[in-house]
Amino acid sequence: GAALPATVTSLLCNLLIDAGCISSEEASSSSVNIQTELLILAAEAILSSFSVQEQSNVGVRAAVRLLLPHAPPKRVEGEVVYEPRISATIAEAISHRLPDTDAEARDLLHLCEEAIRLGSVRIADACESIAFSRASFHRSKGHLHREVYWLLRGMEILSNELPTQFQRKFGFACRRHFDALCENSANDLISKLASTTYATNGESKLEEEAFVSVLQAARNVLEAVVQDEDMASLLKGHMEANLLKYVVDIALADALGDTTKMASDIVRCLEERCLPGEEYGGVVSTLANPKMYAKLLHISVAILHKEESLFNGTMESTKCAFSVHGMHILMARLTQVLSWEGITTSSSAVPKTPTKERKEYFHAMRLTLCKGLMRAFASAQTNSSSEKDGKGGVVEQSLDDEVELMLSPCI
């Protein structure tokens, strides 16, 4: 077809320019670059010809290989010479191609590695779209592990492979879907844990199987992140990934009956913190999404209920899974939930009208937290006394420190 003569013409032009026989520009004042024009025409001819033959994968690869040597910026006589049209043509060819296999996607990403490392942001954006397309394919097939793998590849391209001055923390499309995947997995797991393990009525075998299925899905997402050595270190401060980690730990600790571990991880999800990184701009937030507050409080109250049933009335032997600081966090989040539910003064433009059952539920929750705070004080005092008797020293955080922390602002 037209691909062969167009490609040969372009290659002959390149040889003549390299030999010094002709100039790439007709005149010093001309804005037309003959070499660039012929390269783009050849690439378009290749894409068109192979598309007609239903071999688009071959056409994209051939066109990209033809253009790539002319895409990166070059330094000529101390100045950077950059041809944006070449990179734009490569990016367009890649963006319009949805690879049929993971191998084809990896091959295209490998071809563009050098151009991305030299700072071609447009090609990097196109490569992220390739990674996202493979992630979308695996999501449609229910392959969570492979979906996470390709989302992380897209995030890595824009946050790690580009030069420092062009890097974008975790990218765009892939990051948004990765964040949503982690948050939705965490929310589904907490919802199932609250509605099955800590339900007021007995759980059925079907509900238990559904919980195990959700837990396994969340673990698959987390394992895919941990096993990715290139991205695991970059995601240490990532909110949604850390939320998923703590929620999975809560579910596993529940299976082992370790209420202390559960309490510690619940507090980590609910406590406010100044988010690290320039992209957050010093925002103070919690790992857990506000829609998870009520479910985490429900699980916390169930833990406190169980402790209360074992409480024999003597303060010396009382135990509380939550510290005084932890109880402070639970009460702070309960105050927010009560406001949202319309039980206390609400700043909402459309105030909610809670039902009688809802009011009684949250009243019982607040009473349980107050009793838990009492046991937390007693437990902290007992632990402080026993450690002083055993070590003759002062503990790292005294009861007075915990009380001061509880009474201080959340931040």
Side-chain angles (χ1 to χ4, degrees), residues 173-326:
C174 287
R175 174 179 182 164
R176 287 197 299 271
H177 283 76
F178 177 76
D179 292 352
L181 177 61
C182 290
E183 187 173 311
N184 292 337
S185 298
N187 186 55
D188 292 344
L189 183 53
I190 283 296
S191 298
K192 285 294 182 182
L193 183 63
S195 63
T196 56
T197 309
Y198 292 96
T200 54
N201 52 357
E203 64 183 60
S204 66
K205 184 176 180 181
L206 188 62
E207 290 174 334
E208 184 179 353
E209 290 176 352
F211 170 71
V212 172
S213 175
V214 172
L215 174 59
Q216 187 57 50
R219 291 188 68 182
N220 287 341
V221 174
L222 191 60
E223 287 174 2
V225 174
V226 173
Q227 291 172 6
D228 195 307
E229 296 180 358
D230 295 327
M231 289 297 293
S233 59
L234 294 177
L235 291 170
K236 284 184 178 179
H238 189 265
M239 281 186 63
E240 289 76 10
N242 279 280
L243 170 64
L244 180 60
K245 173 187 178 299
Y246 287 127
V247 168
V248 170
D249 287 346
I250 290 169
L252 295 177
D254 172 65
L256 298 174
D258 189 350
T259 56
T260 302
K261 173 66 173 172
M262 290 182 67
S264 174
D265 289 332
I266 288 173
V267 170
R268 287 192 174 95
C269 291
L270 292 176
E271 65 183 348
E272 292 179 326
R273 67 195 70 201
C274 184
L275 303 182
E278 295 180 357
E279 70 272 19
Y280 293 115
V283 171
V284 175
S285 182
T286 60
L287 288 181
N289 189 293
K291 65 184 178 182
M292 298 175 64
Y293 288 177
K295 297 162 190 172
L296 288 167
L297 286 171
H298 179 79
I299 297 172
S300 303
V301 168
I303 294 173
L304 294 171
H305 265 309
K306 185 177 180 180
E307 291 177 347
E308 186 178 349
S309 65
L310 301 174
F311 180 51
N312 59 10
T314 58
M315 290 297 182
E316 292 76 11
S317 60
T318 187
K319 297 291 183 184
C320 185
F322 293 91
S323 65
V324 176
H325 169 63

Side-chain angles (χ1 to χ4, degrees), residues 46-252:
I46 291 171
L47 292 170
S48 177
S49 295
F50 281 99
S51 177
V52 171
Q53 299 174 30
E54 297 184 354
Q55 292 181 329
S56 297
N57 59 325
V58 179
V60 171
R61 178 178 169 80
V64 170
R65 286 180 65 89
L66 173 68
L67 296 174
L68 271 174
H70 307 277
K74 302 175 183 178
R75 187 171 294 276
V76 179
E77 297 180 356
E79 296 184 0
V80 174
V81 178
Y82 184 70
E83 176 48 65
R85 293 185 62 200
I86 296 290
S87 292
T89 304
I90 294 174
E92 184 178 2
I94 292 175
S95 299
H96 290 175
R97 174 63 188 163
L98 298 180
D100 294 324
T101 64
D102 288 354
E104 182 188 347
R106 277 193 292 266
D107 186 45
L108 286 174
L109 295 183
H110 179 70
L111 279 176
C112 299
E113 278 182 356
E114 184 63 25
I116 294 173
R117 279 198 293 267
L118 290 173
S120 182
V121 177
R122 300 187 74 165
I123 294 178
D125 287 337
C127 288
E128 186 198 17
S129 71
I130 290 179
F132 180 70
S133 71
R134 293 312 298 166
S136 300
F137 170 79
H138 288 295
R139 180 169 62 250
S140 67
K141 299 296 182 181
H143 302 156
L144 269 177
H145 198 282
R146 300 304 300 168
E147 178 187 355
V148 174
Y149 170 83
W150 281 106
L151 289 176
L152 292 178
R153 295 286 68 75
M155 294 163 65
E156 181 184 20
I157 290 168
L158 293 178
S159 62
N160 203 23
E161 293 185 4
L162 279 169
T164 305
Q165 67 270 28
F166 299 124
Q167 287 180 2
R168 305 170 186 176
K169 192 67 176 290
F170 300 136
F172 297 105
C174 287
R175 174 179 182 164
R176 287 197 299 271
H177 283 76
F178 177 76
D179 292 352
L181 177 61
C182 290
E183 187 173 311
N184 292 337
S185 298
N187 186 55
D188 292 344
L189 183 53
I190 283 296
S191 298
K192 285 294 182 182
L193 183 63
S195 63
T196 56
T197 309
Y198 292 96
T200 54
N201 52 357
E203 64 183 60
S204 66
K205 184 176 180 181
L206 188 62
E207 290 174 334
E208 184 179 353
E209 290 176 352
F211 170 71
V212 172
S213 175
V214 172
L215 174 59
Q216 187 57 50
R219 291 188 68 182
N220 287 341
V221 174
L222 191 60
E223 287 174 2
V225 174
V226 173
Q227 291 172 6
D228 195 307
E229 296 180 358
D230 295 327
M231 289 297 293
S233 59
L234 294 177
L235 291 170
K236 284 184 178 179
H238 189 265
M239 281 186 63
E240 289 76 10
N242 279 280
L243 170 64
L244 180 60
K245 173 187 178 299
Y246 287 127
V247 168
V248 170
D249 287 346
I250 290 169
L252 295 177

